[in-house]
Amino acid sequence: MSEKILYSYTGIFDTPDEIIHAAEKASEYGFKNYDVHTPYPLHGMNKAMKLPPSKLGYVALVVGLSGALAALLLMFWMSAVDYPIVIGGKPFFSFPAYVPVMFEVTVLSASIATVLTMLFIFFKLPNNAHPLNDTLYMKKVSSDKYGISIQAEDNKFNEADVRRFLEDCDAKEITAVYYDKEEINYKHKILEPKFIGFLLFTALLTSGVTYFTLNKLLYMPPFDWMMEQNKLNPQATSTVFDDGFGMRKPVEGTIARGFTPYSFSGQPEAAEVNLVNPLPVSKSVLELGQQKYDTFCSPCHGYYGEGDSRLRGQFPNPPSLHSEKIRTWKDGRIFHVITDGQNIMPSYSSQLTVNEIWAIVHYTRVLQRALNAKESDLQ
Amino acid sequence: MSATQNVDYQKKELPKKFQTVGTVLFVIGLIGVIAAYLTDGSRSAFNNIIMLMFLTSIGLGSLFLVSVEFVAGAVWSTPFRRIPEFLSSILLVLPIVVVPLLFKLGDIFHWMHPEVVEADKILTGKAPYLNVDFFIIRVIVFILLWIIFYYFITKNSKKQDTTFDQSLTKRNIKLSAAFIPVFGITISFTAFDWLMSLEPHWFSTIFGVYYFSGSILAAFAAVTLIVVWLNENGYLVKGLTKDHYYSLGAFMFAFTNFWAYIAFSQFLLIWYANLPEETFWFLQRWEGSWIYFSIGLIFVRFVIPYVGLISQPSKMDPKRLIIMSVWLLFAHWYDLYWLAMPNYSKEGVLFSWIELTFPLMAVGIVILLLVQLSKKNNLVPIGDPKLKRGIDFRL
C-alpha cells in the first residue's frame, strides 16, 4: 500500500439554491480548482462559478466550416473534374445542388467533432481512476444531492480554512477524499501509448481484413465458384480447340437464330444495285422509321438530318442527309450505310432489325422530301 | 394569489420626444404618401402593399409570439410580453392601410380584369379562388379575425394587472390555442393573396411559409429592439438579465437561418425541376438591375445577420442587438420589396422619394401606437403569475 494523498474536501447540499450559493461563495473566495456535481444541469451555474464562455463553440465552427469546404471540393472534383456527367441538363459545376450536401456535412462533422472533443479533450474521458469515483459523495450527487469538491491542488487550499469555508456554507457531510498516488493520471487518456497503439492496431486490422477479403479471399474457393464457371469467357484461351481461340465462328453453312446475314458487307455499289426496300410507304412504317431515326440517328445527324449533332463536338458532325448525293442514292445504298457503317459512322446492325432499317430509309426520304419538295407537292 | 409578487417595477412615462418624433414621421410620411399617390398611383399602390405586408408581419407576428408564450407556458418572455402585445395593436390600423389599395386593385392584380381572365386558360382555372369578390371577403374576414383575437387576448392580459386573477391566464391559453391555427392559415393565404397573386401564373406551395418565416423574424426584431432599449433605459421591470437578451438574440439568429432555409428550399426545387412555368419568376428577378438586388438579398437578409449574431457575446450585447434588430427590420422591407416590386417594374430596381415615404409612415404609425398604449398601460404584466419566474429565468 502506498501512502494516501489528499485529493479534495467535499460537501453535500440538499437544494439547487444552496449549491448555487456555495458555488458563488467559492468563486468569490478565490478558489480555482473546485467543481460542483449535480444530478442534472443547473441553470445559472456557469455564472455562479464565474466560468469563462466555453471554447467548444470554436471547435464546432472550425470543423463545421472545414466540413462544408471538404464537401464542396469533393463534389466539385467528382462532378466537374473527374467524371463529368450531364445531370438534368445542369452545368457540371452546379452550386445550388451542392448546398444541401454541404449543409448536411457541416452539421454532421460539427456535431460529431463537438461531442468527441467534449468527451475526450474537455472531459478527459475515459477516466476510471478519478479519485471521486466509488465514493459515497459521488453516489449521492449522482442521485438526489448536490455537492461541491474543493481540490487540494488549489493555491488557496488549506485544510482548516476549507473545512471552515464549507461549514460557513452550511454544507453537510464534509469529508476529505484521498487517492493512491500511482492510481491517478491527469494526462489525456487518449494520448496514452496503449490507446494510440490500440487505435493503430484497429485501423490496420480493419484495412488489412478489407484488403484481404476484396482482393484475395473472394478469389479463393469456394468464394470464387460464381466467377469460375465451367465455360469460356470472351477472349479467353480455349484448351479444346487446336487454334486456342475461345470465340468460334459459326459452323460453315449455318446461321445463328434470329440473325439475318448480310451479303454485301464492304460492297456499297452492289448493295445499291441489288437491294430493294421491301416495305410499303405507310403511316405505321413511317412512324416506326421516325421513332428509330430519332433514337439512333438523330444524336449525330439531327432530328431533320441536317447534320446538326447534339453531341457538342464529342463526335465529328456528319454531313447533311439532304445532299444531292444522298438524295440520288438508291434505298439500298442508305440501307448499306446503316447496316455496314461508313468510315467513322459505326454499323447499326446489332441495334436495329432489318425491317427497322428499311423503315428508317423510308423516313430519311420523308426528311429529304420535306426540304426539297417536288413541284407537285406544292400544289 | 400572487398579488404580493414582489417585483421591482415602477411605471415611468416615456420621454416626450417619442411622441414628437412619431408625429413628425407620421405627418411627413402621410403627406409623402398622398403626394406619391397623386404622382404615380400604381407605383404607390405597390409600395402600399409592401407597407401593408410589413405592418401585418409585425402586428400579426407579435400576436403569434404572445399566443405561443401562453400555449407553451413559457416564462422567459413574460416580463416583457407587454411589448409584443403593444405591437400587435398594429392590427387595428390595417383596415386603414388597406383602404387606398381597394381603389387600385385593378392596377395591381391583372387577374382582376374579366377580359384578361377569359382569354387566359390558367387564370380561368384559378378564377374560383382568384376573383374580386372572394378576395375582398378574405381580406375583410382575415383582418376581422385578427382584431377579434387581439382584442380578447390583450384585454385579458391587461385586466390581470389590476385583478391578479390567475384564471385569466387560463382563458388566454385557450384563446391562443384557437388563434394559432387561425394564424397559420390566414398568414399563408394573406401571402398568397397580396404577394404571390401579383404574378398569378406563378405558384409556390412554400410561399406561405416563406412569408411566415420573414414575419416572425421581423416581429422578433421589433420586440428585441424595443425591449432592449426600454430595459437599458430602465423602463422595464428590474432584474432582466443577459439570459433574456441571449434568448431574444438566439431567436433572431434561429429565424434568420429558418428564413434562409425556406428561401433556399423554394429556390432549389424550382431550379432543379427547371419548369418554365415556375422558373420565370426567378428569371424576372435576374433581369436588369434586379440581379444585383437579388444577390443583395442573400447578404442583407442572411449573411450579415448571420455573422452579426453568431457568437454568444453578440447575442448578449445590447448595442449589437439593437443594431441587428434595426437591420433585420430593414431586411424584411427589402425582402418584401424584392417580392412585390419586380411585378411593377420589370426593367430594374426603382428607388426615389416615393419608396421612402411609405416606410416613414409605417415607422411613425408604430411609434405613435406604442406611445399611446404606454401612457395607459403598464409596460410589464405585473399581475401575471409567471412574472417572477420569468425574471428569475436563467439559461
Side-chain angles (χ1 to χ4, degrees):
Chain A
M1 276 306 285
S2 67
E3 51 168 333
K4 292 278 189 185
I5 300 176
L6 181 63
Y7 172 71
S8 74
Y9 259 84
T10 61
I12 297 267
F13 299 88
D14 286 329
T15 66
D17 278 351
E18 284 175 279
I19 188 72
I20 295 246
H21 282 303
E24 271 166 3
K25 275 194 184 164
S27 58
E28 253 160 52
Y29 191 94
F31 289 126
K32 295 269 178 293
N33 295 326
Y34 70 98
D35 209 351
V36 294
H37 302 95
T38 57
Y40 53 87
L42 282 186
H43 290 302
M45 185 53 90
N46 285 11
K47 208 176 147 213
M49 291 175 74
K50 299 215 175 80
L51 294 180
S54 166
K55 296 267 174 295
L56 202 52
Y58 291 101
V59 177
L61 184 70
V62 171
V63 178
L65 286 179
S66 320
L69 192 66
L72 177 63
L73 289 178
L74 177 77
M75 281 175 297
F76 160 72
W77 165 254
M78 293 191 310
S79 54
V81 178
D82 191 36
Y83 208 99
I85 288 186
V86 179
I87 299 171
K90 303 282 189 250
F92 293 132
F93 180 82
S94 24
F95 186 71
Y98 300 166
V99 171
V101 180
M102 286 168 63
F103 174 74
E104 304 297 340
V105 175
T106 310
V107 174
L108 183 71
S109 55
S111 43
I112 290 182
T114 313
V115 169
L116 293 185
T117 314
M118 186 175 76
L119 291 181
F120 295 119
I121 314 266
F122 283 52
F123 295 172
K124 302 185 184 175
L125 291 178
N127 195 349
N128 300 333
H130 196 282
L132 286 180
N133 282 1
D134 272 343
T135 56
L136 193 62
Y137 169 80
M138 194 37 87
K139 270 188 198 126
K140 290 199 164 162
V141 299
S142 52
S143 64
D144 63 346
K145 300 278 189 237
Y146 311 82
I148 187 165
S149 150
I150 301 171
Q151 277 155 244
E153 59 182 19
D154 193 285
N155 288 335
K156 292 219 164 177
F157 190 89
N158 166 318
E159 276 197 57
D161 284 354
V162 169
R163 189 171 270 282
R164 194 162 333 111
F165 171 81
L166 288 172
E167 275 162 5
D168 284 350
C169 297
D170 283 334
K172 305 195 183 72
E173 305 178 32
I174 302 171
T175 36
V177 176
Y178 295 92
Y179 66 99
D180 288 338
K181 194 164 175 56
E182 67 264 25
E183 259 191 21
I184 199 71
N185 182 356
Y186 282 116
K187 269 195 291 190
H188 284 296
K189 277 286 193 297
I190 48 163
L191 297 182
E192 274 196 9
K194 252 196 242 167
F195 183 71
I196 292 178
F198 167 75
L199 276 189
L200 281 179
F201 173 74
T202 324
L204 278 178
L205 189 74
T206 34
S207 39
V209 166
T210 314
Y211 178 83
F212 176 75
T213 316
L214 294 181
N215 294 292
K216 303 278 175 242
L217 191 69
L218 288 180
Y219 295 90
M220 293 176 188
F223 304 106
D224 65 346
W225 283 357
M226 184 90 120
M227 202 161 48
E228 299 289 329
Q229 295 180 23
N230 216 352
K231 67 167 192 199
L232 273 184
N233 287 329
Q235 317 277 355
T237 318
S238 163
T239 49
V240 178
F241 298 105
D242 279 343
D243 58 8
F245 284 116
M247 292 159 87
R248 311 302 302 175
K249 288 207 174 105
V251 175
E252 203 124 335
T254 64
I255 49 170
R257 252 168 202 277
F259 175 76
T260 320
Y262 183 60
S263 39
F264 298 105
S265 193
Q267 299 163 266
E269 282 82 14
E272 183 162 18
V273 179
N274 291 305
L275 291 174
V276 186
N277 198 336
L279 299 184
V281 183
S282 69
K283 195 167 176 236
S284 61
V285 166
L286 289 180
E287 271 168 1
L288 174 70
Q290 177 177 28
Q291 191 209 344
K292 295 296 166 187
Y293 177 91
D294 285 352
T295 309
F296 291 101
C297 319
S298 75
C300 299
H301 286 277
Y303 284 110
Y304 304 105
E306 290 168 315
D308 46 339
S309 145
R310 292 201 299 282
L311 298 181
R312 301 192 186 180
Q314 293 178 40
F315 196 85
N317 278 12
S320 160
L321 296 181
H322 299 281
S323 62
E324 183 72 39
K325 179 176 100 185
I326 313 291
R327 273 186 288 135
T328 45
W329 270 0
K330 295 238 169 60
D331 283 1
R333 186 71 186 267
I334 300 180
F335 181 92
H336 177 83
V337 173
I338 303 173
T339 313
D340 212 29
Q342 173 180 306
N343 299 326
I344 55 168
M345 174 174 155
S347 151
Y348 280 83
S349 57
S350 57
Q351 282 102 314
L352 297 165
T353 66
V354 173
N355 273 353
E356 285 167 354
I357 295 179
W358 283 122
I360 291 178
V361 173
H362 274 324
Y363 182 67
T364 5
R365 296 300 187 206
V366 172
L367 292 178
Q368 290 173 341
R369 185 88 164 261
L371 261 198
N372 291 283
K374 289 184 188 162
E375 208 54 46
S376 58
D377 294 340
L378 300 174
Q379 276 154 17
Chain B
M1 272 306 278
S2 44
T4 50
Q5 284 203 47
N6 49 348
V7 294
D8 189 0
Y9 171 64
Q10 216 74 55
K11 186 170 156 53
K12 276 205 281 178
E13 283 287 327
L14 286 185
K16 274 267 164 333
K17 64 175 180 200
F18 278 95
Q19 173 103 33
T20 329
V21 170
T23 318
V24 168
L25 285 179
F26 176 71
V27 171
I28 296 180
L30 185 64
I31 295 172
V33 165
I34 293 171
Y37 262 109
L38 293 177
T39 350
D40 192 339
S42 29
R43 179 167 166 188
S44 304
F46 273 85
N47 276 296
N48 202 339
I49 289 191
I50 300 174
M51 173 165 82
L52 173 71
M53 296 321 282
F54 185 80
L55 291 175
T56 308
S57 290
I58 297 181
L60 192 57
S62 298
L63 192 57
F64 176 69
L65 299 187
V66 171
S67 55
V68 167
E69 182 196 306
F70 278 114
V71 168
V75 295
W76 69 275
S77 55
T78 306
F80 46 82
R81 194 189 61 232
R82 249 326 116 69
I83 306 309
E85 279 175 24
F86 285 177
L87 282 172
S88 41
S89 69
I90 293 173
L91 295 170
L92 298 176
V93 300
L94 292 187
I96 306 168
V97 180
V98 165
V99 168
L101 288 172
L102 295 181
F103 294 101
K104 288 280 171 196
L105 289 178
D107 289 9
I108 313 171
F109 301 110
H110 75 255
W111 53 265
M112 288 213 178
H113 301 276
E115 68 284 358
V116 175
V117 176
E118 219 163 286
D120 189 321
K121 244 184 155 174
I122 295 178
L123 293 189
T124 317
K126 293 186 180 186
Y129 180 83
L130 283 186
N131 62 66
V132 186
D133 296 338
F134 192 23
F135 177 87
I136 295 192
I137 293 177
R138 281 195 304 269
V139 171
I140 295 175
V141 169
F142 288 179
I143 295 184
L144 213 65
L145 273 175
W146 299 337
I147 291 181
I148 291 174
F149 276 105
Y150 161 77
Y151 175 75
F152 284 109
I153 292 180
T154 53
K155 194 181 114 190
N156 285 337
S157 168
K158 277 172 209 156
K159 213 160 134 200
Q160 220 170 23
D161 278 13
T162 44
T163 63
F164 294 92
D165 181 2
Q166 296 200 2
S167 66
L168 288 170
T169 301
K170 275 249 167 76
R171 220 176 293 163
N172 259 356
I173 292 177
K174 283 187 195 137
L175 274 173
S176 304
F179 171 67
I180 288 175
V182 171
F183 164 83
I185 293 168
T186 51
I187 195 174
S188 305
F189 282 100
T190 301
F192 296 158
D193 284 350
W194 286 110
L195 292 170
M196 202 163 94
S197 85
L198 288 173
E199 186 46 83
H201 288 110
W202 186 71
F203 56 93
S204 163
T205 45
I206 207 175
F207 197 81
V209 187
Y210 181 92
Y211 179 65
F212 163 82
S213 65
S215 294
I216 301 303
L217 181 52
F220 264 118
V223 172
T224 309
L225 172 64
I226 297 166
V227 167
V228 172
W229 190 88
L230 288 177
N231 189 48
E232 289 302 307
N233 292 286
Y235 289 94
L236 294 182
V237 65
K238 295 272 168 323
L240 292 187
T241 59
K242 298 278 180 240
D243 301 297
H244 295 92
Y245 283 7
Y246 180 85
S247 307
L248 285 168
F251 264 115
M252 291 203 293
F253 183 66
F255 270 89
T256 296
N257 283 290
F258 182 58
W259 176 86
Y261 186 89
I262 298 300
F264 182 73
S265 304
Q266 171 171 297
F267 169 76
L268 183 75
L269 292 195
I270 290 175
W271 172 83
Y272 241 132
N274 213 4
L275 302 175
E277 65 262 38
E278 294 177 347
T279 48
F280 81 97
W281 191 84
F282 277 103
L283 290 175
Q284 266 174 14
R285 281 154 183 75
W286 214 244
E287 219 130 84
S289 48
W290 284 115
I291 181 169
Y292 306 109
F293 201 84
S294 299
I295 295 172
L297 181 68
I298 303 172
F299 287 89
V300 169
R301 206 136 205 212
F302 176 61
V303 178
I304 293 174
Y306 184 87
V307 174
L309 284 171
I310 190 171
S311 80
Q312 193 189 29
S314 68
K315 299 190 193 78
M316 300 181 170
D317 175 16
K319 238 209 227 123
R320 180 75 70 94
L321 283 176
I322 287 183
I323 294 174
M324 286 331 293
S325 45
V326 171
W327 180 264
L328 283 170
L329 288 170
F330 160 70
H332 189 49
W333 196 288
Y334 188 102
D335 185 15
L336 292 172
Y337 185 90
W338 180 76
L339 292 174
M341 252 347 193
N343 296 306
Y344 172 73
S345 152
K346 302 237 189 292
E347 304 75 38
V349 186
L350 279 186
F351 188 80
S352 74
W353 61 274
I354 296 186
E355 275 66 38
L356 270 180
T357 53
F358 286 85
L360 282 188
M361 184 157 120
V363 174
I365 291 178
V366 176
I367 294 182
L368 285 183
L369 279 173
L370 287 174
V371 170
Q372 233 42 49
L373 285 168
S374 68
K375 279 187 188 152
K376 281 180 272 158
N377 304 290
N378 289 319
L379 296 181
V380 172
I382 50 168
D384 195 297
K386 295 187 294 183
L387 180 58
K388 185 79 179 70
R389 273 193 291 152
I391 297 171
D392 288 343
F393 164 79
R394 296 292 176 273
L395 282 173

